[in-house]
Amino acid sequence: MNNYYQQDIETMPVEKIKALQSERLVKQVKHVYDNVPYYRDLMIKKGVTPNDIHGIEDLHKLPFLSKADLRDAYPTGLLAKPLSDCVRIQSTSGTTGRRVVAFYTQHDIDLWEDCCARAIVAAGGTREDVCQVSYGYGLFTGGPGLNGGSHKVGCLTLPMSSGNTDRQIQFMMDLKATILCCTPSYAAYIGETLKEKGYKPEDNTLKAGIFGAEPWTEEMRRDIEKSLGIKAYDIYGLTETSGPGVAFECCEQSGMHINEDHFIAEIIDPDTGEVLPEGSKGELVFTSLTKEAFPLLRYRTRDICVLSREKCSCGRTFIKMSKPMGRSDDMLIIRGVNVFPSQIETVLLNEGYPPNYQILIDRENNTDTFDINVELSSEMFSDTVKDITNREKSLSGAIKTMLGINPKVHLVAPKTIERSEGKAVRVIDKRKLH
Ligand code: DLL
């Protein structure tokens, strides 16, 4: 299945993509230098001017931007167009500090929706499809982005937003939804609720899901595919670079193609800022080439991943990024050991547990405590107390084998860990180390 939304661009020879990126970069740097005093000052401090940027080979000369810069420049300090040219903002949930606010011209929205349309078509979407968009609408980019992409493809769009799962299921069944867009944790929850209501995977008309906005493992993909009877595709993006659709999976389901006509991706060493060669694991940095209102150059995402330009059987030539393997700023260090929550999720799913868990970290007498509440499935819940104690021991052992440190596992009754309609809260770290 080789479906493209914009075939000429998506399958452009690599040399041509690079030439296009160079041409757009030169223009974009000038646009930013002329219109964003905040970034111009950073360039001046680094001793670089637009005259030094002749193409992508000069990208490394430009200064980085980080979330701290966005906060300093809040709310309009990175705008490159007058507010009167902007038609929309979107924003992050902003749990700490000030929120990130991104601005869009109509042209920015148009290109963003094209990126989301590419993702939907790559997942098999056509104008015959019914696309249920169950990402949050409003300030969050998920709902508006996929909604716009779905319109562009010509799907019948169900703008459900997240939440009210009974109503989601009713619309899904009554209107025969074929594509579901939401966070992977919400997809898993919808699958679980369908099962509870007595539906089998073949009872729904879904064929594909487009899931992203939070980390999820291959094991979780298999689980969701099984429970909903679909093919599950990953989609990546962040508010700062417009939202979902920066990168998307194709039929190979082995990494996400980055929309390179709109973004240049780099991998850097998060400690030194040094650009690393293709294939290295490091922090992903994006330069947006076509955005008018909020054009971030060399934005540090904090997402850790690997890029690969290996030939893809789908025919797309855009470079691929791996699933983010964690963040350079959310990696947990427990008793001196680096821990990614996704590693724990992998063990849970391998051991047959549902992916509903919460990691609790605290510090007592200068020693880290490491507890994991794990929900039992209803089949397991009938076990006796002795069985449960044995299960807890065995699961702790499996996690120790993965991480090298022993957690205290607490198996809890089905449905006792709070469900999320957006991003799941997986970690409660009470140590306040930062
Ligand atoms: O989550 C945009 C989005 C919406 C992407 C819908 C995909 C689908 P933010 O709220 O700004 O934007 O969060 C961005 O979420 O830096 C990653 O750490 C994480 N993230 C996004 N997509 C994925 C993914 C949206 N597919 C931050 N896998 C990013 C893992 C992801 N992490």
Side-chain angles (χ1 to χ4, degrees):
M1 185 177 61
N2 287 338
N3 300 332
Y4 312 105
Y5 179 66
Q6 289 166 316
Q7 181 163 3
D8 291 355
I9 301 169
E10 293 175 61
T11 61
M12 193 182 258
V14 174
E15 284 319 305
K16 269 182 109 175
I17 295 174
K18 289 191 171 169
L20 180 69
Q21 287 185 326
S22 285
E23 185 195 315
R24 289 183 168 174
L25 178 67
V26 171
K27 267 198 216 144
Q28 187 71 307
V29 170
K30 194 168 175 328
H31 172 55
V32 171
Y33 191 85
D34 290 346
N35 296 294
V36 186
Y38 186 98
Y39 197 76
R40 179 164 64 232
D41 288 349
L42 292 180
M43 283 179 68
I44 291 168
K45 262 192 218 133
K46 216 170 173 241
V48 53
T49 72
N51 293 335
D52 299 312
I53 309 297
H54 305 286
I56 52 174
E57 65 284 2
D58 296 322
L59 184 64
H60 68 99
K61 296 178 183 163
L62 292 169
F64 291 118
L65 277 174
S66 68
K67 222 170 199 128
D69 292 304
L70 264 63
R71 287 188 188 133
D72 285 352
Y74 176 89
T76 53
L78 289 162
L79 252 188
K81 281 278 185 185
L83 266 183
S84 54
D85 286 356
C86 299
V87 298
R88 170 107 62 87
I89 64 150
Q90 303 286 163
S91 178
T92 58
S93 47
T95 43
T96 51
R98 280 180 292 202
R99 290 165 174 275
V100 171
V101 178
F103 296 81
Y104 305 73
T105 62
Q106 186 54 52
H107 186 247
D108 291 334
I109 288 182
D110 198 35
L111 298 186
W112 174 30
E113 292 178 350
D114 281 345
C115 289
C116 290
R118 288 178 191 173
I120 293 171
V121 174
T126 70
R127 63 189 306 281
E128 305 303 325
D129 279 294
V130 177
C131 184
Q132 176 158 353
V133 183
S134 307
Y135 286 109
Y137 278 63
L139 286 171
F140 180 53
T141 55
L146 270 306
N147 188 89
S150 172
H151 276 225
K152 285 220 167 188
V153 176
C155 304
L156 173 64
T157 309
L158 313 186
M160 300 300 299
S161 195
S162 58
N164 201 337
T165 308
D166 283 348
R167 190 176 63 188
Q168 300 273 358
I169 289 173
Q170 191 185 346
F171 273 81
M172 176 186 287
M173 293 298 178
D174 292 352
L175 290 159
K176 303 199 174 1
T178 53
I179 299 175
L180 175 65
C181 307
C182 62
T183 57
S185 47
Y186 196 41
Y189 181 51
I190 291 175
E192 200 176 300
T193 312
L194 278 169
K195 190 174 166 197
E196 255 173 35
K197 288 181 181 289
Y199 290 112
K200 291 196 219 52
E202 59 275 20
D203 293 337
N204 71 65
T205 44
L206 290 174
K207 62 178 186 186
I210 303 178
F211 307 132
E214 63 180 354
W216 54 310
T217 52
E218 285 303 324
E219 291 79 3
M220 192 161 171
R221 187 207 302 265
R222 282 197 289 278
D223 241 40
I224 295 172
E225 290 190 329
K226 215 166 118 202
S227 73
L228 291 174
I230 59 170
K231 209 164 160 177
Y233 297 84
D234 205 350
I235 184 166
Y236 171 89
L238 53 160
T239 313
E240 295 90 319
T241 57
S242 68
V246 171
F248 61 95
E249 258 184 353
C250 62
C251 52
E252 258 201 11
Q253 292 177 299
S254 62
M256 297 173 271
H257 289 285
I258 294 172
N259 281 309
E260 288 193 283
D261 52 335
H262 299 303
F263 302 98
I264 303 176
E266 296 171 276
I267 291 286
I268 63 162
D269 177 325
D271 297 325
T272 63
E274 183 201 348
V275 179
L276 301 177
E278 193 197 306
S280 317
K281 184 166 154 186
E283 182 181 336
L284 187 57
V285 173
F286 281 115
T287 294
S288 54
L289 293 170
T290 48
K291 285 208 306 167
E292 295 179 334
F294 200 64
L296 302 188
L297 305 180
R298 299 199 89 199
Y299 182 70
R300 293 186 59 162
T301 64
R302 295 283 170 192
D303 289 319
I304 302 294
C305 75
V306 176
L307 297 179
S308 156
R309 210 181 271 286
E310 262 173 44
K311 202 168 163 21
C312 185
S313 64
C314 77
R316 284 178 187 78
T317 43
F318 290 156
I319 203 163
K320 275 191 194 171
M321 60 180 273
S322 66
K323 268 183 180 302
M325 298 155 173
R327 289 176 60 84
S328 60
D329 58 357
D330 93 343
M331 182 180 72
L332 300 161
I333 304 181
I334 307 172
R335 295 180 206 146
V337 174
N338 295 352
V339 174
F340 289 99
S342 60
Q343 293 173 291
I344 293 168
E345 194 174 298
T346 299
V347 176
L348 294 184
L349 288 158
N350 283 344
E351 300 286 316
Y353 289 84
N356 300 321
Y357 66 99
Q358 210 153 40
I359 303 166
L360 306 138
I361 309 151
D362 210 340
R363 186 162 279 194
E364 280 170 21
N365 304 324
N366 290 321
T367 307
D368 291 335
T369 60
F370 178 23
D371 290 72
I372 310 175
N373 290 337
V374 179
E375 212 173 84
L376 289 160
S377 63
S378 32
E379 290 86 339
M380 296 164 167
F381 192 48
S382 54
D383 290 354
T384 63
V385 174
K386 188 169 151 244
D387 289 334
I388 298 285
T389 312
N390 285 340
R391 274 184 175 280
E392 285 175 342
K393 269 198 202 139
S394 139
L395 191 52
S396 295
I399 294 171
K400 172 146 199 248
T401 308
M402 170 71 105
L403 303 176
I405 47 168
N406 223 341
K408 233 189 236 162
V409 169
H410 311 272
L411 293 174
V412 297
K415 304 261 153 198
T416 44
I417 293 177
E418 204 185 316
R419 289 297 185 275
S420 152
E421 291 168 352
K423 301 188 190 211
V425 179
R426 302 291 195 204
V427 181
I428 298 175
D429 191 344
K430 295 192 174 161
R431 295 174 299 179
K432 299 199 178 64
L433 297 178
H434 304 289

